[in-house]
Amino acid sequence: AQSVAQPEDQVNVAEGNPLTVKCTYSVSGNPYLFWYVQYPNRGLQFLLKYITGDNLVKGSYGFEAEFNKSQTSFHLKKPSALVSDSALYFCAVRSASGGSYIPTFGRGTSLIVHP
Amino acid sequence: SAVISQKPSRDICQRGTSLTIQCQVDSQVTMMFWYRQQPGQSLTLIATANQGSEATYESGFVIDKFPISRPNLTFSTLTVSNMSPEDSSIYLCSVEGGLAGAGDTQYFGPGTRLTVL
C-alpha cells in the first residue's frame, strides 16, 4: 500500500522568508511524487512532480521540491514566500513500477504567509 | 496540461434530491476520476471512469448512490443521488495524461461545492 504523510496541518511564515512544507511517503518500488496547491474555492493546481533524474525539481510560481530517497521525503520549498502563496498544499505519491496508477494524497498543509 | 470545467460550480440542494455534476475536458483523455473533498480533509477517490466501460468504484462508494456516465473521451457526469447532509462536500473531476492513459500527472477541475440541507 502507498501512503503520504504531511506532518504539519499548518505552516506559518513571514513574507520574504523561505518556506518548507514537509512530505514523507511510503510506496513499493520507485515513486512518482507530486505537489498540488489549492486556493480558496478552487480546484487543485499541479505545481511540480518528480519522476526520475535530478533530485531537485523546479515547478510553478518559484516552488521547488527535493526528493530524498533515503529519507523517503519530498519537501516543498520556496526561497522567498509571498502573501499570495497562502493556500492549501497537497503532496501525492504513486508507484512508478506497477500497482495502482492512482496517486494517494496527503491530508494537506495550510500555508499562511504573513505580511 | 488539460483544461477542465465543471458545472455547476456550486449548488444548495434539499435532502432526498439528486444532483448531476458535469465535467468537460478540452482534449481527449482515457482516464477520468471523481473525487470528494469534505471540509478540512484530503481528497477521497470515488471512482475511475474510462470511456466505453463501467466506472470502477472505490471501497465505500456504490453505483446506486453515485452513478457515473462517460459517453465520450472529453465528458463525464457524476450524479449524487438521494442526497443527505453528509453528502455536503466539494466534488472534483480529474483527468490523467492523454489518450494513452500512461500519463503520470492528474489535472483537476475547479470543483463543485455541494451543500445539502
Side-chain angles (χ1 to χ4, degrees):
Chain A
Q2 55 196 33
S3 65
V4 173
Q6 292 182 242
E8 302 154 316
D9 288 338
Q10 185 171 300
V11 170
N12 291 278
V13 64
E15 187 174 31
N17 284 359
L19 69 87
T20 299
V21 182
K22 295 180 180 178
C23 171
T24 58
Y25 67 90
S26 174
V27 71
S28 298
N30 293 320
Y32 288 165
L33 292 155
F34 309 85
W35 275 103
Y36 291 85
V37 59
Q38 185 178 34
Y39 297 101
N41 301 313
R42 303 283 293 276
L44 273 70
Q45 295 180 31
F46 169 72
L47 271 181
L48 53 79
K49 67 183 178 185
Y50 171 83
I51 303 298
T52 187
D54 288 343
N55 290 341
L56 185 63
V57 178
K58 294 186 183 297
S60 306
Y61 312 122
F63 283 94
E64 58 189 29
E66 185 167 12
F67 170 60
N68 187 317
K69 188 172 184 177
S70 63
Q71 297 184 5
T72 61
S73 67
F74 190 57
H75 301 330
L76 181 70
K77 300 181 180 184
K78 187 173 182 180
S80 178
L82 300 173
V83 173
S84 57
D85 292 330
S86 299
L88 192 57
Y89 290 81
F90 290 95
C91 180
V93 68
R94 57 165 280 200
S95 174
S97 51
S100 175
Y101 50 78
I102 300 171
T104 297
F105 288 82
R107 64 180 182 177
T109 298
S110 178
L111 172 66
I112 300 175
V113 181
H114 302 278
Chain B
S1 65
V3 177
I4 306 166
S5 60
Q6 285 185 234
K7 290 182 181 179
S9 59
R10 58 177 63 229
D11 207 341
I12 300 173
C13 301
Q14 295 298 318
R15 181 196 299 261
T17 63
S18 298
L19 176 72
T20 295
I21 302 168
Q22 299 179 6
C23 177
Q24 180 75 52
V25 190
D26 70 339
S27 57
Q28 293 183 327
V29 293
T30 300
M31 300 176 67
M32 296 182 77
F33 307 89
W34 286 98
Y35 286 85
R36 182 172 73 183
Q37 184 182 20
Q38 294 184 305
Q41 297 190 23
S42 187
L43 283 70
T44 302
L45 180 65
I46 297 172
T48 302
N50 292 338
Q51 194 269 337
S53 62
E54 296 222 355
T56 302
Y57 289 82
E58 298 298 304
S59 176
F61 298 96
V62 296
I63 188 171
D64 289 346
K65 175 68 175 177
F66 297 101
I68 289 171
S69 77
R70 182 76 202 276
N72 57 52
L73 290 170
T74 63
F75 187 78
S76 178
T77 67
L78 169 75
T79 299
V80 186
S81 303
N82 188 25
M83 288 184 285
S84 67
E86 292 70 35
D87 294 319
S88 297
S89 187
I90 299 172
Y91 291 85
L92 295 159
C93 171
S94 172
V95 305
E96 179 184 273
L99 280 177
D104 47 273
T105 300
Q106 283 195 324
Y107 299 96
F108 288 82
T112 296
R113 184 177 296 271
L114 171 62
T115 301
V116 184
L117 302 177

